[in-house]
Each structure stands twice: as structure tokens, then as C-alpha cells.
Amino acid sequence: MSRARGTRGAGWAWPALVWIVAATLIAATVVLQGVIRPQLAADPLVGGGRLDAPRTAPTPAPVLPGLGTPTRTVDPATLAQTLEGLPREGLGDVAGLVVDATTGAQVYRVGAGVKTPASSMKVLSSVVALDVLGPDARLATRTYLTPTGQVILRGGGDPLLASAHQDAYPHAASLDDLAAVTVDALRARGVTSVALGYDATLFGTPAWNPHWPETFATSVAPITALTVDHARPTPGSWVRSPDPSRLAADAFASRLSAAGIAVTGVAAQATPSDAEQVGEVLSPPVGVVVEHTLAESDNDAAETLLWQVTVARGQSATPTTAAAQLVTELTRLGLWSDGMAVYDANGISAENEVSPDALVGAVRLAVQRPDLRRLLTGLPVAGVSGTLGERFGAADSLAGRGVVRAKTGTIRGVNTLTGYVVTADGQPLAFAFMTSGGAGQTSARAWLDRASSALASCGC
């Protein structure tokens, strides 16, 4: 009996004890807030009296001065002394120009006249493509169904069109995706068997530029409005198909067949005016295509973009008309100099002759105009990306790594570098260095890397 009474007493005691402790804690908290908070408010390490307020670090100084407000501008005489003092053994002839990218003021010039630009030519053709086509334009590859039941695959001059679906950047359009939407449209119409026509008439002929040596047949494909995988029959192959349009059509036919649509034949065929569009895939924006072209020095894409410009201007696109259109556009943009001659957009032709002024002028246009900015973002980064990824490793060019952005140019006996850099003092410079002759590629590239790195590290 007594044990039962003791148990009931303990049951009442514990809740009372809990309430007493809780009340004590609340009272203590009130006292502490009244005593300690005013002291904390006066403590600069806490501030505001908030126990939960984190310390705020002071705003750090900028890593680089703001563009257009350099801490010191380049002294032309000092820069000339620096560049002229770089080793030139085996270099050959040099022409070059460096200007303030913002104002256009000349800070260094060497040599005179025009020189072969090699792939730096892509800087000029890219600025024209961005200006005429616009950075947001897309190139369409379409399929049509004729009243007689024939499917037409019509090329829209997309230089990045791929056979397989592309998830990776730059998300190229693909025949896989085009076949899928086309098959859905055919099934909806009850079509199970078709003859396939392919239409590449957006561009004219010849597809091979007569100013390109045959030795470059692995570096560029014949230019047609319907090309897939850069006209490579197998991924990664150096071999290019002599008939890119037929290669693309055969690849598309195999996809229709795999989806259960029988293909009774494949032949070149212009799209009839009464054909109904049943499928479409779009290229990445032209601005993205330009970035890819410059970063990877894509000869096919550079040439195709110029042919697109020619079509946009109402001309039939051929090697001759495209080159003539490039002259017209460069003249309109103020990038044409006496003595210049151009025969292609990608720089393969050794007959191209341009001035450093034209190349630097194109870079400056991209600095000034937001719609041309993809020219700048597409330039390879020294020691990091694209065709400059494996360069700028020598001790005398390390200062340019990650800072110099420039388009390379290399054919036999010619090495060039065109781009821009922000000096150590925050001044943006546009430059073009062009070399020819000399002992070979190694000497020329070493000097180009040294010279552009000297611009990057310039505190002069």
C-alpha cells in the first residue's frame, strides 16, 4: 500500500520539477538579453546586437582594373623596345599592328603592306557572317512530302549538322532528330514506303574552291548545302566524301528504314513547289557557329557561313561569288585595304593577302558592337582552349596563358596570330602579327607567343 502511495507522489513531482526548470531558463534568458545585448551592440565585431549576424568581410579590391580605365597606358616607345628585343632567330618577315582596342590609337607597328593570313582569315569572314546573318539566326534542314509520296531532304547549309543526336554543346542539329519527326508525320498519313530525294540546291557549284590545293582535301570538304558530320564517312576519319550531299542522304535513308519506313530509292531532286513540309531541325545560332569556327579553326564552317552570306545577299553561292561578296562586305565595314585579295573564307588559299589593319579592325568592331561580340568569345584562349590549348608553355610566354585570346593561322611558310589582350595595367589591346618565310613553324610560333605574351604582361 505504501509503495502505491509513493509511486503516485513521484508522478506528480516530476512534472512540477520540469516546469520549475523551464521557468528558470526563461527568466535567465530575459536577464541575459537585457544585460548582454546592449554590450554586443557596442561590439564592432558583432554589430547590431544580433547573436546570429555573421561578420561581413569588406568588399575586395578588383582583381583587374576596369576596362577603359587602365592604371597606366602603354608607352609606344617602351613597347617597341620590348618587342624588338625578342629573339627572332629563324623568324622570317614580320608585319604587325597593335592598337588600343577602345580608341583605335596605334601603339606599335612593324612591317608594311599585306601578307597571307592563313586561318586568321576566319576573323574577317566571321565578322561578316555575324554582321549580315545576325548572331541569333538559325539554319534549317527540312523534309518535305510531295503529292506523289516522295520525301525530300532539303539542305539548309548547316555546317554542323550531325548524323547522331547531340546532347553536348553546341547541340548541333541531327539526322536522328529529323528522321524521328519525319517518321511521325509519315505514319500519321499512313505512309510506309517512300522514295527519297535530296536537295542541295541552296548553294551553287563547283563545291571545291579552285584556289585550294588538293593536298587540303582532308582539311576541308566540298561545300554543299547538305553535309553531315563534316562529310566524314566514319566518325573521326580524316577522309572526306567527294559527294557530301549523297552521304547525308544515305545516312537519312538508313534512319527511315530503321524506323520501319521502306526507302525504295535515293536520288538528287529539287524540292517541288507543291511539297508539304513535314520535318525541320535547326542549327545552333550563327553566333555559336562562329564561336565554334574560331575556336576549332573549322574550315568547312567558315566557308559555309560565307556562302550563307552570299545567299542572304541574293546571289548564287559559288567560290567566285562568295569571294566577291566578302570583298564587298569588308569594304562596307571599312576593313578593306589597298593591295588586299581574298579567295576564300577559311584561309586555305595561299593567294589570300590581307593587311594587319584589316584583322585588327575586325577585332575592334567586335569590341565596339555587342552584336559582333561572339567573335571575341570564340577566340581560343592561350594555353587553355582550341588551337591555342597546347601553346604558351615556354617560360617566356607563360604570362600570356589564360590572358591572350587569338585566332591562329598556319599554312606552309605562314604563321599568324590575331586577337586581343588586356595588359597588366588594364588596357585592352587588339593585335595582329603575321609572319612568312623563315626557318619553320616552330620559330614563328615561339615568337608569336612571346610577342602576344609581352602585351599581356606589359606595364609600360
Side-chain angles (χ1 to χ4, degrees):
M1 181 67 69
S2 61
R3 180 177 297 171
R5 284 196 298 270
T7 301
R8 286 195 297 272
W12 286 99
W14 281 110
L17 180 60
V18 170
W19 280 106
I20 292 171
V21 171
T24 301
L25 289 175
I26 292 171
T29 299
V30 171
V31 172
L32 288 173
Q33 290 288 334
V35 174
I36 296 177
R37 183 180 290 275
Q39 298 177 11
L40 290 175
D43 188 338
L45 296 180
V46 177
R50 290 179 55 85
L51 292 171
D52 60 346
R55 288 186 61 185
T56 302
T59 302
V63 176
L64 291 174
L67 292 182
T69 57
T71 57
R72 181 169 53 170
T73 57
V74 172
D75 175 60
T78 304
L79 179 60
Q81 184 178 15
T82 299
L83 294 179
E84 297 298 331
L86 296 176
R88 292 195 177 191
E89 289 80 11
L91 181 60
D93 295 329
V94 179
L97 175 65
V98 182
V99 306
D100 184 303
T102 303
T103 66
Q106 177 180 310
V107 294
Y108 177 74
R109 183 184 289 276
V110 60
V114 297
K115 282 192 172 295
T116 301
S119 277
S120 276
M121 189 73 193
K122 294 182 178 73
V123 172
L124 297 179
S125 57
S126 291
V127 78
V128 165
L130 289 169
D131 179 67
V132 176
L133 303 176
D136 299 323
R138 293 177 183 262
L139 312 172
T141 306
R142 299 185 173 103
T143 51
Y144 296 83
L145 182 63
T146 71
T148 59
Q150 183 183 28
V151 168
I152 306 293
L153 171 64
R154 179 169 172 79
D158 178 358
L160 302 189
L161 184 65
S163 55
H165 173 79
Q166 302 287 298
D167 284 324
Y169 187 84
H171 309 297
S174 74
L175 294 184
D176 276 352
D177 294 337
L178 183 58
V181 296
T182 303
V183 167
D184 286 346
L186 294 177
R187 286 175 177 165
R189 292 164 174 77
V191 178
T192 58
S193 176
V194 297
L196 177 64
Y198 60 94
D199 181 354
T201 57
L202 180 66
F203 294 163
T205 57
W208 183 263
N209 192 319
H211 294 276
W212 293 342
E214 289 295 332
T215 54
F216 280 88
T218 58
S219 299
V220 64
I223 305 302
T224 77
L226 179 59
T227 300
V228 67
D229 298 331
H230 284 69
R232 292 185 173 97
T234 56
S237 171
W238 283 97
V239 176
R240 305 296 193 99
S241 171
D243 190 351
S245 299
R246 179 58 190 251
L247 179 70
D250 287 341
F252 190 71
S254 69
R255 283 157 174 75
L256 294 182
S257 298
I261 304 296
V263 178
T264 59
V266 179
Q269 170 68 57
T271 306
S273 59
D274 57 353
E276 174 191 4
Q277 181 180 318
V278 292
E280 178 184 77
V281 289
L282 299 176
S283 74
V286 164
V288 174
V289 178
V290 165
E291 287 183 325
H292 161 86
T293 299
L294 294 169
E296 304 302 327
S297 201
D298 189 325
N299 293 316
D300 305 82
E303 199 68 20
T304 301
L305 285 173
L306 178 59
W307 288 37
Q308 289 282 10
V309 167
T310 307
V311 171
R313 293 304 198 195
Q315 304 293 319
S316 173
T318 69
T320 300
T321 60
Q325 194 63 46
L326 182 55
V327 173
T328 298
E329 303 298 341
L330 291 175
T331 302
R332 178 180 58 82
L333 292 171
L335 301 177
W336 190 258
S337 302
D338 290 342
M340 285 178 47
V342 297
Y343 296 94
D344 62 24
N346 53 32
I348 287 178
S349 173
E351 300 170 71
N352 291 322
E353 297 282 346
V354 305
S355 66
D357 304 72
L359 296 171
V360 168
V363 175
R364 283 206 63 230
L365 273 180
V367 170
Q368 296 166 331
R369 290 176 47 181
D371 60 321
L372 306 180
R373 200 60 49 82
R374 295 281 192 168
L375 176 70
L376 304 180
T377 55
L379 294 173
V381 180
V384 176
S385 65
T387 54
L388 288 182
E390 302 300 322
R391 289 173 58 171
F392 290 75
D396 55 4
S397 62
L398 287 176
R401 290 179 70 88
V403 182
V404 173
R405 298 196 71 144
K407 180 69 197 77
T408 54
T410 305
I411 57 176
R412 183 180 296 275
V414 171
N415 287 271
T416 64
L417 200 61
T418 300
Y420 75 97
V421 67
V422 179
T423 70
D425 292 323
Q427 183 178 6
L429 301 176
F431 67 88
F433 294 124
M434 311 175 76
T435 73
S436 59
Q441 186 179 101
T442 301
S443 299
R445 284 188 173 184
W447 185 85
L448 292 170
D449 294 356
R450 291 188 198 110
S452 55
S453 292
L455 300 180
S457 58
C458 190
C460 50

